[in-house]
Amino acid sequence: MLHDVEDRLDGRTIACPTLVLWSEGGPLDRWYEAAGGPLELWKPWARDVRGRAVSGGHFFPEQNAAETIDELRRFLR
């Protein structure tokens, strides 16, 4: 956590594109609603943030592998 604080104070951010995926209808949809959602939370930390909610349960990559793989392929192109 100390390094995170130092990075913030020095204005450092993640330079590479950053993919954020989370479970649709899960806690992340609600917990960070007031902040604008999970993507908005990452914007101060990364210059290029992309992503969305993926249908599935708690571990959506396993429960919805096809949609997760599609998102990863689209991002990595």
Side-chain angles (χ1 to χ4, degrees), residues 36-52:
L39 292 179
E40 289 301 316
L41 287 177
W42 277 99
K43 286 183 180 178
W45 292 97
R47 297 176 194 166
D48 179 2
V49 181
R50 309 167 198 181
R52 66 179 187 84

Side-chain angles (χ1 to χ4, degrees), residues 21-69:
L21 300 175
W22 64 95
S23 180
E24 183 178 50
L28 290 181
D29 279 342
R30 295 182 309 276
W31 289 344
Y32 304 114
E33 193 172 50
L39 292 179
E40 289 301 316
L41 287 177
W42 277 99
K43 286 183 180 178
W45 292 97
R47 297 176 194 166
D48 179 2
V49 181
R50 309 167 198 181
R52 66 179 187 84
V54 175
S55 61
H58 175 72
F59 195 64
F60 66 87
E62 187 174 273
Q63 294 172 337
N64 191 347
E67 193 172 341
T68 303
I69 289 167

